[in-house]
Amino acid sequence: MAVRTKVRPSPSDEVPLHPAHGYRLRRQKHPIGVRGGPRRAPRGYALGDADRHRVRAAYHLRVRQVARAVVAAARQPGDAAENLVVELERRLDSLVRRAGFARSFTEARALVAHNTFTVDGGKVNRPSYPVRPGQTIEVRPGRRCRARVAVALAERAEGDAPPYLEVSPRRFTARLTREPQRQESALRDIALAVHAEKEVAR
């Protein structure tokens, strides 16, 4: 096996490095000290600053998560704002929160990530999983005695579930009957405007 014995130092290098270290540094495609390089949000479509802040506050999402939802909504036929609401409301963590299995979005994501729920009998631990109409969300039998789920169901009042969800607290299930609409979401009073971004020439 060939071993590198020479290093091509940079003109700015003041201290010579060991050959192995120099080889590893040359292989990096991102600046030194930055793990994985810069992460950029998807390009193509975007929300205004005010709309983005309102969406993040309503669903407790990060900027990159909102950007992905906007791009996915804009690529679908129809009104981009309506598609965005459908994308956000069909997330598994959103439906868990709407069904009353969690008291907040943060708690819903934690429960989903710890394999608390199943979708049509299959375990799903991804909070952004898009639930399709007709699918059923159920609390796993071994997780129904968890304090978070029990407290959330105890504080849940009758009629709190949105009209597109059929919730059965006794069976620990929630079924998505149809796609959500904008008038039934937390963004019904917000005038969303999705616009296309101009690609910057390099």
Side-chain angles (χ1 to χ4, degrees):
M1 179 178 178
V3 179
R4 292 178 179 267
T5 58
K6 294 183 179 180
V7 181
R8 299 173 185 174
S10 173
S12 60
D13 288 344
E14 297 180 358
V15 179
L17 299 176
H18 189 273
H21 296 288
Y23 172 67
R24 292 175 181 175
L25 291 177
R26 288 200 306 273
R27 291 186 59 186
Q28 292 183 354
K29 298 181 180 179
H30 51 81
I32 298 175
V34 179
R35 287 178 173 247
R39 299 183 62 185
R40 299 178 180 176
R43 293 182 177 271
Y45 299 91
L47 283 173
D49 292 340
D51 294 337
R52 184 173 67 252
H53 292 322
R54 291 174 181 176
V55 170
R56 290 188 61 195
Y59 293 92
H60 299 270
L61 297 175
R62 296 190 297 270
V63 175
R64 190 173 181 84
Q65 293 174 318
V66 175
R68 287 176 177 173
V70 170
V71 172
R75 290 176 178 175
Q76 298 176 5
D79 187 9
E82 296 287 343
N83 296 336
L84 176 61
V85 172
V86 173
E87 288 285 333
L88 297 175
E89 288 290 334
R90 285 175 55 233
R91 289 172 55 102
L92 181 56
D93 55 355
S94 296
L95 294 178
V96 167
R97 172 69 180 89
R98 304 296 185 213
F101 296 140
R103 293 174 293 177
S104 64
F105 285 96
T106 304
E107 190 176 40
R109 293 191 186 95
L111 292 174
V112 173
H114 287 83
N115 294 314
T116 306
F117 302 95
T118 62
V119 179
D120 284 349
K123 289 191 299 183
V124 180
N125 60 358
R126 184 161 57 97
S128 62
Y129 178 83
V131 181
R132 298 187 302 271
Q135 290 185 325
T136 302
I137 304 170
E138 182 180 2
V139 183
R140 294 175 58 190
R143 309 298 175 90
R144 295 177 181 178
C145 58
R146 285 196 167 186
R148 291 182 177 181
V149 178
V151 171
L153 287 177
E155 294 180 355
R156 176 183 176 274
E158 292 293 336
D160 284 350
Y164 52 83
L165 268 181
E166 289 183 357
V167 182
S168 178
R170 294 183 179 179
R171 298 181 179 179
F172 293 88
T173 61
R175 181 174 177 269
L176 182 63
T177 58
R178 57 176 174 81
E179 289 190 350
Q181 297 180 3
R182 185 174 177 181
Q183 294 78 10
E184 303 165 345
S185 68
L187 303 178
R188 55 182 175 270
D189 298 331
I190 300 178
L192 297 177
V194 181
H195 60 274
E197 287 185 338
K198 295 182 180 180
E199 293 293 339
V200 180
R202 295 182 178 180

